Amino acid sequence: MTATTSPTPAPGAPDAPNVLHAPVIAWFDAHARDLPWRRPDAGPWAVMVSEFMLQQTPVNRVLPVYEQWLARWPRPADLAKEPPGEAVRAWGRLGYPRRALRLHGAAVAITERHGGDVPRQHSQLLALPGIGEYTAAAVASFAYGQRHAVLDTNVRRVFARAAAGVQYPPNATTAAERKLARALLPEDEPTAARWAAASMELGALVCTAKNEDCARCPISAQCAWQRAGKPPHQGPARRGQTYAGTDRQVRGKLLAVLREAVAPVPQAVLDRVWDEPVQRARALDGLVADGLVEPLPERLYRLPLS
DNA sequence: GAGGCGTGGCC
DNA sequence: TGGCCAAGCCT
């Protein structure tokens, strides 16, 4: 199903679309979720906020926090005026709270460097804290309708199956994947942006990691993995994310206390979240080093005011 | 490039 | 029941 299987364009005619574009986009038109960041009234800032929150966090958990965030800080400058700790507090239990700090930092940078408007250029987006290759392409594509290869875990899985014929993509994004994604990108901007959203949604709803639903897939007939009989993943399993008993868990417990507190918290109160003193101290030091927690005199701690 | 970084739901 | 998974980024 690679691009080489596309029909040869007639001489003088525009390039024929890849055989995947039309069915995937038609499926998207019929089945896309009505998510707030996809509505017409969602501007670039709303798209950007959603992308930060969706980094490793499921849609259903993002939705309520996203609504509160946009209501409170409708423009980047509104967030930039706040202490970073307020962003961490409002982040709630979305997880990976450094994202909140980075989103705040991005809002400050947008206010200072871009006149308060989310930049349009991929390179300028990439220069903002918390924005990597994926998020820069996603904002440029979804918010500004530009033509970019948007390679997230969903798209990578769809391509791994449809094009490479394997169940899962490699652990880390490869040059071959980027090349394929660029090759599959429709020529014109609006179609490319539509394709990016559609291929992602297909991976999120149908071509899922577990319990994929090939019967509802609009490209199952062209899918190399399906045609090969859906062979299971070969090789080592992906590195698991241990959590219980790790510093991460301790950090989470400490920060949960500080998020709920309206006044600086004595260390003695924080000490109650974890028995083991060495790990507890290491976790707290890590939070301070990351700028997520601000130490005060007399062993008091709070979310950062600066 | 591997490892660190939250949280909660699901099968 | 607990390992796996969820629109990554940074060092």
Side-chain angles (χ1 to χ4, degrees):
Chain A
M1 62 99 315
T2 63
T4 58
T5 62
S6 298
T8 302
D15 288 351
N18 180 276
V19 291
L20 303 180
H21 297 159
V24 171
I25 290 173
W27 171 86
F28 185 64
D29 289 341
H31 300 289
R33 291 166 292 181
D34 175 29
L35 299 172
W37 44 87
R38 288 179 179 162
R39 290 173 194 157
D41 61 330
W45 172 240
V47 171
M48 185 174 140
V49 169
S50 77
E51 289 301 335
F52 268 77
M53 292 182 174
L54 289 164
Q55 291 169 0
Q56 302 280 280
T57 302
V59 166
N60 285 339
R61 211 132 47 81
V62 163
L63 284 168
V65 182
Y66 166 88
E67 300 287 4
Q68 294 170 21
W69 194 284
L70 265 293
R72 182 171 175 185
W73 299 308
R75 299 164 304 176
D78 300 317
L79 177 59
K81 284 186 293 201
E82 298 270 5
E86 278 309 293
V88 174
R89 197 188 307 277
W91 198 252
R93 306 189 69 80
L94 288 183
Y96 291 146
R98 290 191 290 195
R99 291 181 293 164
L101 226 43
R102 290 169 183 157
L103 181 51
H104 179 272
V108 170
I110 288 169
T111 305
E112 292 176 350
R113 306 207 291 257
H114 302 291
D117 294 320
V118 176
R120 308 178 74 93
Q121 285 185 27
H122 184 277
S123 61
Q124 293 182 322
L125 288 163
L126 200 54
L128 297 173
I131 294 193
E133 183 179 340
Y134 161 75
T135 303
V139 172
S141 181
F142 303 153
Y144 292 119
Q146 294 171 20
R147 182 175 181 274
H148 291 281
V150 181
L151 258 190
D152 80 323
T153 188
N154 290 305
V155 174
R156 295 181 61 222
R157 188 173 52 248
V158 169
F159 289 177
R161 291 174 182 172
V166 296
Q167 188 176 22
Y168 295 124
N171 282 333
T173 306
T174 62
E177 288 182 275
R178 294 190 182 91
K179 183 178 179 181
L180 175 64
R182 287 195 300 270
L184 290 179
L185 211 50
E187 284 301 319
D188 68 288
E189 274 200 320
T191 307
R194 200 75 180 150
W195 161 254
S199 52
M200 248 174 87
E201 189 79 336
L202 185 64
L205 297 185
V206 172
C207 193
T208 47
K210 304 287 183 188
N211 303 317
E212 69 280 354
D213 192 353
C214 301
R216 283 195 215 156
C217 178
I219 54 170
S220 59
Q222 295 100 306
C223 176
W225 187 53
Q226 167 86 16
R227 283 150 64 135
K230 299 171 68 172
H233 175 71
Q234 302 282 308
R238 285 187 282 188
R239 180 173 52 92
Q241 350 175 45
T242 53
Y243 182 67
T246 62
D247 286 6
R248 261 199 289 184
Q249 185 181 18
V250 185
R251 288 166 57 108
K253 288 177 176 293
L254 290 169
L255 212 51
V257 172
L258 291 165
R259 272 199 310 266
E260 301 305 316
V262 294
V265 176
Q267 183 181 336
V269 173
L270 294 176
D271 285 350
R272 294 183 201 136
V273 308
W274 199 256
D275 288 339
E276 209 291 298
V278 173
Q279 187 178 28
R280 194 177 63 216
R282 185 172 64 233
L284 183 55
D285 287 349
L287 288 170
V288 172
D290 288 345
L292 284 163
V293 171
E294 183 175 343
L296 299 173
E298 302 186 34
R299 299 188 178 195
L300 293 171
Y301 295 88
R302 68 180 173 198
L303 298 181
L305 286 187
S306 62

